[in-house]
Amino acid sequence: MSKIQIKTESQILKMRAAGLVVAAGLDAMCAAVTPGITTAEIDAIGRDVLTANGAKSNFLNYGTQWGITPFPGVACVSPNEVVVHGMPGARALHEGDIVSIDFGAIVDGWHGDAARTVAVGTTTPEAESLIEVTRTSLWAGVAAMWTGAQVSDIGHEIEQFIKTQGRYGIVRDATGHGIGSRMHMDPDVPNYGHPGRGPKLVPGMTLAVEPMVTLGTWRTAELDDDWTMVTTDSSWAAHWENTIAICKDGLWVLTEPDGGAAELARLDVPLASLATR
Ligand code: MG
């Protein structure tokens, strides 16, 4: 029996409400990224957006259930060699750094989760390419939610796209995931692998797709703080994520302000009619 939660249209509409809060928070936090800002100051902007929208955080205190250090922020703020799960704190960003911001929200019991990577001021062409390759690989994975048949088709398309772009590391120690009435649900959505495996992609499924890509190794290590995931060779990493719903007549990218309309049109994937009702 499948453990995958299939949502009704009204439940997807509630997830869209959460997704719009996530999008607003990411917009505000990314806009604030300038040399000198600390990761804690970025997190504080995310907190304000949650409060202003009457939303709750699905990141804050995450981990309590496993007896590890409760996550202290509403956003994971991950500069340079930090792949994901950067803890907001005193670290200041510098001109030329890159930073990934991963943010989530709960509205009415339904979850949204997304991430973006931006440069701090002007960065190197290599780092710019890393950000853009990772962003575009996310959309390759999103498209596979419509053109593919099974969950592993998503990661396969992500990996194939990245391989056409140059020598990059594709992180294996963290994956995308099902999302709905909880943030992390079945199924896992790896960012690499063979096609034609795993659960069938069906309407009502909502997934968080989130490629993590590096300029060096795919290998990662976790710091003693229980959270911070870094590349083992200190190469820089980027992370992009969206929460996406499969509807019967198309996709709806719940954590993009336009529902994914522009990128889905580029990819020749239909936007769900539910998005425009
Ligand atoms: Mg996620």
Side-chain angles (χ1 to χ4, degrees), residues 24 42 66 90 113 146 155 160 176 225 257:
I42 292 171
W66 305 311
D113 182 11
W146 187 254
Q160 294 310 306
D225 62 17

Side-chain angles (χ1 to χ4, degrees), residues 121 132 142 168 211 223 237 259:
E132 187 56 18
V142 171
Y168 293 95
L223 301 186

